[in-house]
Amino acid sequence: MCNAPDCRHEKLQRGRNWAGPFAKTPGRLFGMGLIRLYQLTVSSLIGSSCRHMPTCSEYGYEAVARHGLWSGGWLTLFRVMRCGPGGTWGVDPVPEALPPPLRWYAPWRYWRVGRQAAH
């Protein structure tokens, strides 16, 4: 990083998880806590073998933070399903906003949101 007064570099993020603003509701904090617990325990045992960028746990952390436990949880589940053998690979960011036709009672529609972000 340069120290020039007109430097436009972003500050380095200290952690690997998303650090943007989000509503700190109990469901979001619970979901993010579960993902963080996974990152600190199980993830270190199985190694880093995710085919996407960001990794599936980072994706899940951000999805829950941005979209809540229900929507973010479904996005995360479908992302993990796409990560297996024969699945997709590459850059797959969390959508900043979910499309309007999604309804909480039709979680299978979240599959299309992730597939659109992956292509």
Side-chain angles (χ1 to χ4, degrees), residues 28 35 52 54-83 88 92-99 102-104 106-118:
R28 288 176 195 214
I35 293 170
H52 292 97
T55 65
C56 291
S57 63
E58 292 169 0
Y59 181 96
Y61 190 92
E62 181 178 350
V64 171
R66 282 187 180 205
H67 305 297
L69 184 59
W70 181 259
S71 299
W74 284 107
L75 288 171
T76 302
L77 174 68
F78 293 138
R79 164 65 181 276
V80 170
M81 290 171 59
R82 287 193 310 272
C83 197
T88 61
D92 184 14
V94 176
E96 290 193 26
L98 296 174
L102 291 178
R103 302 286 185 252
W104 68 269
W108 57 87
R109 293 185 181 175
Y110 289 93
W111 175 261
R112 283 185 274 153
V113 172
R115 290 181 61 108
Q116 290 171 355

